[in-house]
Amino acid sequence: MPNRKFNPLFLALVLVLLVSACQQPEKELREKLYVFGTIVEITIRDKDEAAARAALRDVAADFRRMHKDWHAWKPGELSTLNAAIAAGKTAKVSDFLLSLLLQAQRYERTSDGLFNAAIGALVADWGFHNDDLPKGRAPPYAAIRAWVEAKPKVADLVIRDHEVSSSNRGMQLDFGGFAKGEALDRAVLQLKAHGIKNAILNAGGDLNVMGLHSKRPWRAGIRHPKTWGVIATVDLKPGEVLYTSGNYERFLEYEGVRYSHIIDPRTGWPVKHIVSASVIGRNGADADAAATALSVAGPSGWHRIARRMGVKFAMLVDDQGRIYLNPAMKARIQLEDEKAGEVILSPPLF
Ligand code: ADP
Ligand code: MG
């Protein structure tokens, strides 16, 4: 008869096997994808490499589709709608595009019109509807004035079910101010559907995080608006996002002046005083739109607009290097150089 007595060696072996199964190391899988003129680096830290690879394949396919459909100046669903609007016609839009139009209307309302996705014609006049940095000069004053007087806004859209037209033929839709955030939000949903729990998605410093980096939070750097370095670091909680709008990356340089690709719809001129605005939130598209709107709102208006848009954590840097923050944001970030610039603390946002 076999010896059924308790065997400590056997137990030790089982324990070792159990512990090593539990501690199967997280693998780090990194992939670079391209969408809206930006490289998106996705880092996944999970145990199941096959699931991670399958998820990345689906995200890449989504990005290709979004890049085509939402492009403001290349053939796709958005440019078809823009052509119909310019011709005073009606176009039928997909569920996908319809949801973006409603989103753009919401951002326009909550930002008091500072976030204006009907700004496409003006952005094109300033030369930013191009894969390369614009060269040449500022548009003629008369063209800028004509746009401001026509006051195109996303609220001019007439939406009946999926039939869309506009009461203002001067409006041309451009989702550049929140498309990146929306794309990363959708990528997160895709990763979740594949069972991925821990990942960071980075589109040129704009980030969505999922879960943790092993046992600690994902640590992120907020880009310095003037150098390629980092102005502050922050630990992002699971599900948080960090978005920065800045005029350091895309601008028109003419006669020694840099004109930002973020345009104030009230004047038709690029934003001057603010060089970057960063927002921490829980939804990429909302944070992306808010960062753009806060840049336009500038030093005097950002706090009011942040409250209207439900922003909880914001930081702006102006052209003099001054840093504007709300107290909750100050508590979360670590400035790289405490003497980097004068810090101006606002009243609480919430
Ligand atoms: P970044 O690309 O630096 O993250 P943003 O998220 O602020 O910058 O997006 C800037 C883009 O948003 C511009 O290239 C343009 O397409 C669009 N845009 C410019 N001004 C506005 C505005 N006032 N409201 C909404 N969108 C804008
Ligand atoms: Mg933005």
Short mmCIF file of all heavy atoms in Angstrom, two decimals, residues 238-300:
data_model
loop_
_atom_site.label_atom_id
_atom_site.label_comp_id
_atom_site.label_asym_id
_atom_site.label_seq_id
_atom_site.Cartn_x
_atom_site.Cartn_y
_atom_site.Cartn_z
N PRO A 238 -5.83 55.02 -11.28
CA PRO A 238 -6.44 54.17 -12.31
C PRO A 238 -7.63 54.88 -12.96
O PRO A 238 -8.48 55.43 -12.26
CB PRO A 238 -6.91 52.94 -11.53
CG PRO A 238 -5.99 52.88 -10.34
CD PRO A 238 -5.67 54.30 -10.00
N GLY A 239 -7.64 54.90 -14.29
CA GLY A 239 -8.76 55.50 -15.02
C GLY A 239 -8.63 56.99 -15.24
O GLY A 239 -9.49 57.60 -15.87
N GLU A 240 -7.53 57.59 -14.78
CA GLU A 240 -7.39 59.05 -14.99
C GLU A 240 -6.75 59.36 -16.35
O GLU A 240 -6.13 58.50 -16.99
CB GLU A 240 -6.56 59.66 -13.86
CG GLU A 240 -7.39 59.92 -12.62
CD GLU A 240 -6.70 60.82 -11.61
OE1 GLU A 240 -5.45 60.77 -11.50
OE2 GLU A 240 -7.40 61.56 -10.92
N VAL A 241 -6.91 60.62 -16.74
CA VAL A 241 -6.31 61.09 -18.00
C VAL A 241 -5.60 62.42 -17.72
O VAL A 241 -5.96 63.12 -16.77
CB VAL A 241 -7.39 61.31 -19.09
CG1 VAL A 241 -8.20 60.03 -19.33
CG2 VAL A 241 -8.35 62.44 -18.72
N LEU A 242 -4.63 62.72 -18.54
CA LEU A 242 -3.92 64.00 -18.44
C LEU A 242 -3.76 64.56 -19.85
O LEU A 242 -3.18 63.90 -20.71
CB LEU A 242 -2.54 63.76 -17.81
CG LEU A 242 -1.53 64.91 -17.91
CD1 LEU A 242 -1.98 66.11 -17.08
CD2 LEU A 242 -0.15 64.45 -17.43
N TYR A 243 -4.32 65.74 -20.07
CA TYR A 243 -4.25 66.34 -21.42
C TYR A 243 -3.67 67.74 -21.35
O TYR A 243 -4.02 68.52 -20.47
CB TYR A 243 -5.66 66.37 -22.07
CG TYR A 243 -5.98 65.02 -22.66
CD1 TYR A 243 -6.28 63.95 -21.83
CD2 TYR A 243 -5.90 64.79 -24.03
CE1 TYR A 243 -6.50 62.69 -22.34
CE2 TYR A 243 -6.13 63.54 -24.56
CZ TYR A 243 -6.42 62.49 -23.71
OH TYR A 243 -6.63 61.24 -24.22
N THR A 244 -2.81 68.03 -22.29
CA THR A 244 -2.20 69.36 -22.37
C THR A 244 -2.40 69.94 -23.76
O THR A 244 -2.17 69.25 -24.76
CB THR A 244 -0.69 69.28 -22.06
OG1 THR A 244 -0.53 68.74 -20.74
CG2 THR A 244 -0.03 70.63 -22.12
N SER A 245 -2.86 71.17 -23.81
CA SER A 245 -2.93 71.89 -25.08
C SER A 245 -1.83 72.91 -25.08
O SER A 245 -1.68 73.64 -24.09
CB SER A 245 -4.26 72.65 -25.20
OG SER A 245 -5.24 71.81 -25.67
N GLY A 246 -1.12 72.96 -26.15
CA GLY A 246 -0.03 73.93 -26.14
C GLY A 246 0.25 74.45 -27.53
O GLY A 246 -0.13 73.84 -28.52
N ASN A 247 0.92 75.59 -27.56
CA ASN A 247 1.24 76.10 -28.89
C ASN A 247 2.71 75.88 -29.22
O ASN A 247 3.28 76.56 -30.03
CB ASN A 247 0.85 77.58 -29.02
CG ASN A 247 1.49 78.44 -27.97
OD1 ASN A 247 2.45 78.01 -27.34
ND2 ASN A 247 1.01 79.64 -27.79
N TYR A 248 3.32 74.89 -28.53
CA TYR A 248 4.74 74.67 -28.77
C TYR A 248 4.98 73.71 -29.93
O TYR A 248 6.04 73.64 -30.48
CB TYR A 248 5.41 74.10 -27.51
CG TYR A 248 4.54 73.10 -26.79
CD1 TYR A 248 4.43 71.81 -27.23
CD2 TYR A 248 3.79 73.49 -25.67
CE1 TYR A 248 3.62 70.90 -26.59
CE2 TYR A 248 2.98 72.58 -25.02
CZ TYR A 248 2.89 71.29 -25.48
OH TYR A 248 2.08 70.40 -24.85
N GLU A 249 3.97 72.94 -30.30
CA GLU A 249 4.20 71.88 -31.27
C GLU A 249 3.78 72.30 -32.68
O GLU A 249 4.50 72.11 -33.62
CB GLU A 249 3.40 70.65 -30.85
CG GLU A 249 4.08 69.37 -31.23
CD GLU A 249 3.41 68.19 -30.55
OE1 GLU A 249 2.17 68.08 -30.70
OE2 GLU A 249 4.10 67.40 -29.90
N ARG A 250 2.58 72.84 -32.77
CA ARG A 250 2.10 73.28 -34.09
C ARG A 250 1.87 74.79 -34.05
O ARG A 250 1.07 75.28 -33.28
CB ARG A 250 0.78 72.56 -34.43
CG ARG A 250 1.02 71.13 -34.90
CD ARG A 250 -0.28 70.43 -35.24
NE ARG A 250 -0.96 70.90 -36.43
CZ ARG A 250 -0.53 70.71 -37.67
NH1 ARG A 250 0.59 70.08 -37.90
NH2 ARG A 250 -1.23 71.15 -38.69
N PHE A 251 2.61 75.48 -34.87
CA PHE A 251 2.47 76.93 -34.91
C PHE A 251 2.91 77.43 -36.27
O PHE A 251 3.59 76.73 -37.03
CB PHE A 251 3.33 77.58 -33.80
CG PHE A 251 4.75 77.11 -33.81
CD1 PHE A 251 5.68 77.66 -34.69
CD2 PHE A 251 5.17 76.06 -32.98
CE1 PHE A 251 6.98 77.20 -34.73
CE2 PHE A 251 6.48 75.60 -33.02
CZ PHE A 251 7.38 76.18 -33.90
N LEU A 252 2.51 78.67 -36.57
CA LEU A 252 2.97 79.33 -37.78
C LEU A 252 3.97 80.40 -37.33
O LEU A 252 3.67 81.21 -36.47
CB LEU A 252 1.77 80.00 -38.48
CG LEU A 252 2.09 81.11 -39.49
CD1 LEU A 252 2.72 80.52 -40.75
CD2 LEU A 252 0.81 81.85 -39.88
N GLU A 253 5.17 80.35 -37.90
CA GLU A 253 6.16 81.37 -37.53
C GLU A 253 6.26 82.36 -38.68
O GLU A 253 6.57 82.00 -39.81
CB GLU A 253 7.52 80.70 -37.27
CG GLU A 253 8.48 81.65 -36.62
CD GLU A 253 9.42 80.94 -35.64
OE1 GLU A 253 9.48 79.71 -35.65
OE2 GLU A 253 10.10 81.66 -34.89
N TYR A 254 5.95 83.61 -38.36
CA TYR A 254 5.95 84.63 -39.40
C TYR A 254 6.52 85.92 -38.82
O TYR A 254 6.06 86.39 -37.78
CB TYR A 254 4.52 84.84 -39.92
CG TYR A 254 4.38 85.96 -40.93
CD1 TYR A 254 5.12 85.94 -42.11
CD2 TYR A 254 3.52 87.02 -40.70
CE1 TYR A 254 5.00 86.97 -43.02
CE2 TYR A 254 3.39 88.05 -41.61
CZ TYR A 254 4.13 88.03 -42.76
OH TYR A 254 4.02 89.05 -43.66
N GLU A 255 7.53 86.45 -39.45
CA GLU A 255 8.22 87.67 -39.00
C GLU A 255 8.58 87.58 -37.52
O GLU A 255 8.32 88.50 -36.74
CB GLU A 255 7.36 88.90 -39.30
CG GLU A 255 7.26 89.13 -40.81
CD GLU A 255 6.47 90.38 -41.19
OE1 GLU A 255 5.67 90.84 -40.37
OE2 GLU A 255 6.69 90.86 -42.31
N GLY A 256 9.11 86.43 -37.12
CA GLY A 256 9.61 86.27 -35.76
C GLY A 256 8.53 86.01 -34.72
O GLY A 256 8.83 85.84 -33.55
N VAL A 257 7.27 85.98 -35.12
CA VAL A 257 6.19 85.74 -34.16
C VAL A 257 5.64 84.33 -34.39
O VAL A 257 5.45 83.91 -35.53
CB VAL A 257 5.04 86.78 -34.34
CG1 VAL A 257 3.93 86.54 -33.33
CG2 VAL A 257 5.59 88.19 -34.20
N ARG A 258 5.42 83.62 -33.27
CA ARG A 258 4.82 82.29 -33.38
C ARG A 258 3.32 82.38 -33.17
O ARG A 258 2.87 82.87 -32.14
CB ARG A 258 5.40 81.38 -32.31
CG ARG A 258 6.71 80.79 -32.72
CD ARG A 258 7.11 79.73 -31.74
NE ARG A 258 8.39 79.17 -32.16
CZ ARG A 258 8.95 78.11 -31.62
NH1 ARG A 258 8.35 77.47 -30.64
NH2 ARG A 258 10.11 77.66 -32.08
N TYR A 259 2.58 81.93 -34.16
CA TYR A 259 1.12 81.92 -34.03
C TYR A 259 0.66 80.51 -33.71
O TYR A 259 0.95 79.57 -34.46
CB TYR A 259 0.47 82.44 -35.31
CG TYR A 259 0.78 83.90 -35.57
CD1 TYR A 259 1.78 84.28 -36.46
CD2 TYR A 259 0.08 84.88 -34.89
CE1 TYR A 259 2.08 85.61 -36.67
CE2 TYR A 259 0.36 86.22 -35.10
CZ TYR A 259 1.37 86.58 -35.99
OH TYR A 259 1.65 87.91 -36.19
N SER A 260 -0.06 80.38 -32.61
CA SER A 260 -0.51 79.08 -32.11
C SER A 260 -1.60 78.49 -32.99
O SER A 260 -2.34 79.22 -33.66
CB SER A 260 -1.03 79.31 -30.70
OG SER A 260 -2.04 78.42 -30.37
N HIS A 261 -1.74 77.18 -32.95
CA HIS A 261 -2.84 76.53 -33.69
C HIS A 261 -4.14 76.52 -32.89
O HIS A 261 -5.14 75.97 -33.32
CB HIS A 261 -2.46 75.11 -34.11
CG HIS A 261 -2.34 74.15 -32.97
ND1 HIS A 261 -2.71 72.82 -33.08
CD2 HIS A 261 -1.89 74.31 -31.72
CE1 HIS A 261 -2.49 72.23 -31.91
NE2 HIS A 261 -1.98 73.10 -31.08
N ILE A 262 -4.12 77.16 -31.72
CA ILE A 262 -5.35 77.29 -30.94
C ILE A 262 -5.84 78.72 -31.15
O ILE A 262 -5.12 79.68 -30.88
CB ILE A 262 -5.11 76.99 -29.46
CG1 ILE A 262 -4.61 75.55 -29.33
CG2 ILE A 262 -6.38 77.21 -28.64
CD1 ILE A 262 -4.01 75.22 -27.99
N ILE A 263 -7.06 78.82 -31.65
CA ILE A 263 -7.54 80.12 -32.10
C ILE A 263 -8.70 80.59 -31.22
O ILE A 263 -9.57 79.80 -30.86
CB ILE A 263 -7.94 80.03 -33.59
CG1 ILE A 263 -6.68 79.66 -34.39
CG2 ILE A 263 -8.54 81.35 -34.07
CD1 ILE A 263 -6.92 79.43 -35.83
N ASP A 264 -8.67 81.87 -30.89
CA ASP A 264 -9.75 82.45 -30.09
C ASP A 264 -10.89 82.81 -31.03
O ASP A 264 -10.75 83.72 -31.85
CB ASP A 264 -9.22 83.70 -29.37
CG ASP A 264 -10.22 84.25 -28.37
OD1 ASP A 264 -11.44 83.99 -28.55
OD2 ASP A 264 -9.79 84.93 -27.42
N PRO A 265 -12.02 82.11 -30.93
CA PRO A 265 -13.12 82.37 -31.87
C PRO A 265 -13.71 83.77 -31.73
O PRO A 265 -14.38 84.24 -32.64
CB PRO A 265 -14.18 81.31 -31.52
CG PRO A 265 -13.64 80.48 -30.43
CD PRO A 265 -12.35 81.06 -29.95
N ARG A 266 -13.43 84.46 -30.61
CA ARG A 266 -13.97 85.81 -30.44
C ARG A 266 -13.24 86.82 -31.31
O ARG A 266 -13.79 87.82 -31.73
CB ARG A 266 -13.85 86.24 -28.97
CG ARG A 266 -14.70 85.40 -28.04
CD ARG A 266 -14.34 85.64 -26.59
NE ARG A 266 -12.95 85.25 -26.30
CZ ARG A 266 -12.42 85.18 -25.09
NH1 ARG A 266 -13.16 85.50 -24.04
NH2 ARG A 266 -11.17 84.81 -24.91
N THR A 267 -11.96 86.56 -31.58
CA THR A 267 -11.16 87.52 -32.35
C THR A 267 -10.70 86.96 -33.69
O THR A 267 -10.34 87.70 -34.59
CB THR A 267 -9.88 87.89 -31.58
OG1 THR A 267 -9.10 86.69 -31.42
CG2 THR A 267 -10.19 88.48 -30.22
N GLY A 268 -10.67 85.63 -33.79
CA GLY A 268 -10.14 84.99 -35.00
C GLY A 268 -8.62 84.87 -34.99
O GLY A 268 -8.02 84.38 -35.94
N TRP A 269 -7.99 85.36 -33.90
CA TRP A 269 -6.53 85.32 -33.81
C TRP A 269 -6.06 84.20 -32.87
O TRP A 269 -6.75 83.90 -31.90
CB TRP A 269 -5.99 86.67 -33.31
CG TRP A 269 -6.01 87.67 -34.41
CD1 TRP A 269 -7.11 88.33 -34.87
CD2 TRP A 269 -4.92 88.05 -35.24
NE1 TRP A 269 -6.78 89.13 -35.94
CE2 TRP A 269 -5.44 88.98 -36.19
CE3 TRP A 269 -3.57 87.72 -35.30
CZ2 TRP A 269 -4.63 89.56 -37.17
CZ3 TRP A 269 -2.77 88.31 -36.28
CH2 TRP A 269 -3.30 89.21 -37.19
N PRO A 270 -4.90 83.65 -33.17
CA PRO A 270 -4.36 82.60 -32.30
C PRO A 270 -4.15 83.10 -30.86
O PRO A 270 -3.87 84.28 -30.65
CB PRO A 270 -3.02 82.24 -32.94
CG PRO A 270 -3.20 82.60 -34.37
CD PRO A 270 -4.06 83.83 -34.37
N VAL A 271 -4.27 82.18 -29.95
CA VAL A 271 -4.08 82.48 -28.53
C VAL A 271 -2.65 82.95 -28.30
O VAL A 271 -1.70 82.36 -28.81
CB VAL A 271 -4.35 81.19 -27.73
CG1 VAL A 271 -3.82 81.29 -26.32
CG2 VAL A 271 -5.84 80.88 -27.74
N LYS A 272 -2.51 84.03 -27.52
CA LYS A 272 -1.17 84.60 -27.31
C LYS A 272 -0.64 84.36 -25.90
O LYS A 272 0.50 83.98 -25.72
CB LYS A 272 -1.23 86.10 -27.54
CG LYS A 272 -1.04 86.51 -28.98
CD LYS A 272 -0.28 87.84 -29.05
CE LYS A 272 -0.35 88.44 -30.42
NZ LYS A 272 -1.67 89.06 -30.68
N HIS A 273 -1.47 84.63 -24.89
CA HIS A 273 -0.93 84.70 -23.52
C HIS A 273 -0.60 83.35 -22.92
O HIS A 273 0.31 83.23 -22.12
CB HIS A 273 -1.90 85.44 -22.61
CG HIS A 273 -2.26 86.76 -23.15
ND1 HIS A 273 -1.31 87.72 -23.35
CD2 HIS A 273 -3.43 87.28 -23.58
CE1 HIS A 273 -1.89 88.80 -23.88
NE2 HIS A 273 -3.17 88.54 -24.03
N ILE A 274 -1.38 82.35 -23.29
CA ILE A 274 -1.19 81.06 -22.66
C ILE A 274 -0.37 80.16 -23.57
O ILE A 274 -0.66 80.04 -24.76
CB ILE A 274 -2.57 80.41 -22.36
CG1 ILE A 274 -3.25 81.16 -21.22
CG2 ILE A 274 -2.45 78.93 -22.04
CD1 ILE A 274 -2.50 81.12 -19.89
N VAL A 275 0.66 79.55 -23.03
CA VAL A 275 1.44 78.65 -23.86
C VAL A 275 1.08 77.19 -23.63
O VAL A 275 1.31 76.36 -24.49
CB VAL A 275 2.96 78.88 -23.71
CG1 VAL A 275 3.37 80.13 -24.45
CG2 VAL A 275 3.39 78.95 -22.28
N SER A 276 0.53 76.90 -22.45
CA SER A 276 0.01 75.55 -22.30
C SER A 276 -1.04 75.48 -21.20
O SER A 276 -1.02 76.26 -20.25
CB SER A 276 1.13 74.54 -22.05
OG SER A 276 1.53 74.58 -20.70
N ALA A 277 -1.97 74.56 -21.37
CA ALA A 277 -3.00 74.32 -20.36
C ALA A 277 -3.12 72.82 -20.20
O ALA A 277 -3.25 72.09 -21.20
CB ALA A 277 -4.34 74.91 -20.81
N SER A 278 -3.03 72.35 -18.94
CA SER A 278 -3.11 70.91 -18.68
C SER A 278 -4.28 70.62 -17.76
O SER A 278 -4.55 71.39 -16.84
CB SER A 278 -1.84 70.42 -17.99
OG SER A 278 -0.71 70.78 -18.74
N VAL A 279 -4.94 69.51 -18.03
CA VAL A 279 -6.11 69.13 -17.25
C VAL A 279 -5.99 67.65 -16.89
O VAL A 279 -5.67 66.83 -17.74
CB VAL A 279 -7.40 69.36 -18.10
CG1 VAL A 279 -8.60 68.71 -17.45
CG2 VAL A 279 -7.65 70.85 -18.30
N ILE A 280 -6.25 67.33 -15.62
CA ILE A 280 -6.38 65.92 -15.22
C ILE A 280 -7.87 65.65 -15.08
O ILE A 280 -8.59 66.44 -14.47
CB ILE A 280 -5.69 65.63 -13.88
CG1 ILE A 280 -4.18 65.90 -13.98
CG2 ILE A 280 -5.92 64.18 -13.45
CD1 ILE A 280 -3.45 65.73 -12.64
N GLY A 281 -8.33 64.57 -15.66
CA GLY A 281 -9.75 64.24 -15.57
C GLY A 281 -9.96 62.74 -15.64
O GLY A 281 -9.03 61.96 -15.38
N ARG A 282 -11.19 62.37 -16.00
CA ARG A 282 -11.51 60.94 -16.07
C ARG A 282 -12.00 60.54 -17.45
O ARG A 282 -12.40 59.41 -17.67
CB ARG A 282 -12.54 60.57 -15.00
CG ARG A 282 -12.04 60.85 -13.58
CD ARG A 282 -12.72 59.99 -12.55
NE ARG A 282 -12.33 58.59 -12.65
CZ ARG A 282 -11.27 58.07 -12.03
NH1 ARG A 282 -10.48 58.81 -11.29
NH2 ARG A 282 -10.99 56.78 -12.18
N ASN A 283 -11.99 61.49 -18.37
CA ASN A 283 -12.43 61.20 -19.73
C ASN A 283 -11.54 61.99 -20.69
O ASN A 283 -11.42 63.21 -20.55
CB ASN A 283 -13.91 61.60 -19.86
CG ASN A 283 -14.41 61.46 -21.28
OD1 ASN A 283 -14.13 62.30 -22.13
ND2 ASN A 283 -15.15 60.40 -21.56
N GLY A 284 -10.94 61.28 -21.63
CA GLY A 284 -9.95 61.93 -22.51
C GLY A 284 -10.53 63.05 -23.35
O GLY A 284 -9.96 64.13 -23.43
N ALA A 285 -11.69 62.79 -23.99
CA ALA A 285 -12.26 63.80 -24.87
C ALA A 285 -12.62 65.06 -24.08
O ALA A 285 -12.33 66.19 -24.52
CB ALA A 285 -13.50 63.25 -25.57
N ASP A 286 -13.21 64.88 -22.90
CA ASP A 286 -13.60 66.05 -22.08
C ASP A 286 -12.36 66.83 -21.64
O ASP A 286 -12.36 68.06 -21.66
CB ASP A 286 -14.35 65.60 -20.81
CG ASP A 286 -15.72 65.01 -21.13
OD1 ASP A 286 -16.12 65.00 -22.31
OD2 ASP A 286 -16.40 64.54 -20.18
N ALA A 287 -11.31 66.12 -21.24
CA ALA A 287 -10.10 66.79 -20.77
C ALA A 287 -9.40 67.50 -21.93
O ALA A 287 -8.88 68.61 -21.78
CB ALA A 287 -9.16 65.79 -20.11
N ASP A 288 -9.41 66.86 -23.10
CA ASP A 288 -8.79 67.44 -24.30
C ASP A 288 -9.50 68.74 -24.67
O ASP A 288 -8.86 69.79 -24.86
CB ASP A 288 -8.89 66.40 -25.43
CG ASP A 288 -7.96 66.69 -26.58
OD1 ASP A 288 -7.28 67.74 -26.56
OD2 ASP A 288 -7.92 65.88 -27.53
N ALA A 289 -10.83 68.69 -24.72
CA ALA A 289 -11.61 69.89 -25.06
C ALA A 289 -11.40 70.97 -24.00
O ALA A 289 -11.23 72.15 -24.32
CB ALA A 289 -13.10 69.54 -25.16
N ALA A 290 -11.38 70.56 -22.73
CA ALA A 290 -11.22 71.55 -21.65
C ALA A 290 -9.85 72.22 -21.75
O ALA A 290 -9.74 73.43 -21.58
CB ALA A 290 -11.39 70.88 -20.30
N ALA A 291 -8.80 71.43 -22.04
CA ALA A 291 -7.45 72.02 -22.13
C ALA A 291 -7.41 73.07 -23.23
O ALA A 291 -6.83 74.15 -23.07
CB ALA A 291 -6.42 70.92 -22.37
N THR A 292 -8.06 72.77 -24.35
CA THR A 292 -8.10 73.74 -25.46
C THR A 292 -8.89 74.99 -25.02
O THR A 292 -8.44 76.12 -25.24
CB THR A 292 -8.76 73.10 -26.70
OG1 THR A 292 -8.05 71.90 -27.01
CG2 THR A 292 -8.73 74.03 -27.89
N ALA A 293 -10.04 74.77 -24.40
CA ALA A 293 -10.88 75.90 -23.98
C ALA A 293 -10.17 76.77 -22.95
O ALA A 293 -10.25 78.00 -23.00
CB ALA A 293 -12.20 75.38 -23.41
N LEU A 294 -9.44 76.15 -22.02
CA LEU A 294 -8.73 76.94 -20.99
C LEU A 294 -7.61 77.76 -21.61
O LEU A 294 -7.34 78.88 -21.18
CB LEU A 294 -8.17 76.03 -19.88
CG LEU A 294 -9.19 75.23 -19.07
CD1 LEU A 294 -8.51 74.58 -17.86
CD2 LEU A 294 -10.35 76.09 -18.60
N SER A 295 -6.97 77.21 -22.64
CA SER A 295 -5.94 77.99 -23.35
C SER A 295 -6.56 79.27 -23.91
O SER A 295 -5.98 80.34 -23.84
CB SER A 295 -5.35 77.21 -24.53
OG SER A 295 -4.72 76.05 -24.10
N VAL A 296 -7.76 79.11 -24.49
CA VAL A 296 -8.42 80.28 -25.09
C VAL A 296 -8.87 81.25 -23.99
O VAL A 296 -8.73 82.46 -24.12
CB VAL A 296 -9.65 79.85 -25.95
CG1 VAL A 296 -10.34 81.07 -26.54
CG2 VAL A 296 -9.22 78.89 -27.05
N ALA A 297 -9.37 80.70 -22.89
CA ALA A 297 -9.90 81.55 -21.81
C ALA A 297 -8.80 82.42 -21.20
O ALA A 297 -9.06 83.55 -20.77
CB ALA A 297 -10.54 80.68 -20.74
N GLY A 298 -7.57 81.88 -21.14
CA GLY A 298 -6.43 82.68 -20.69
C GLY A 298 -6.41 82.95 -19.20
O GLY A 298 -7.26 82.46 -18.45
N PRO A 299 -5.41 83.73 -18.73
CA PRO A 299 -5.20 83.93 -17.30
C PRO A 299 -6.44 84.46 -16.57
O PRO A 299 -6.69 84.09 -15.43
CB PRO A 299 -4.07 84.97 -17.24
CG PRO A 299 -3.38 84.85 -18.55
CD PRO A 299 -4.41 84.43 -19.55
N SER A 300 -7.22 85.31 -17.22
CA SER A 300 -8.34 85.90 -16.47
C SER A 300 -9.60 85.03 -16.53
O SER A 300 -10.43 85.10 -15.63
CB SER A 300 -8.66 87.29 -17.02
OG SER A 300 -8.98 87.16 -18.39
#
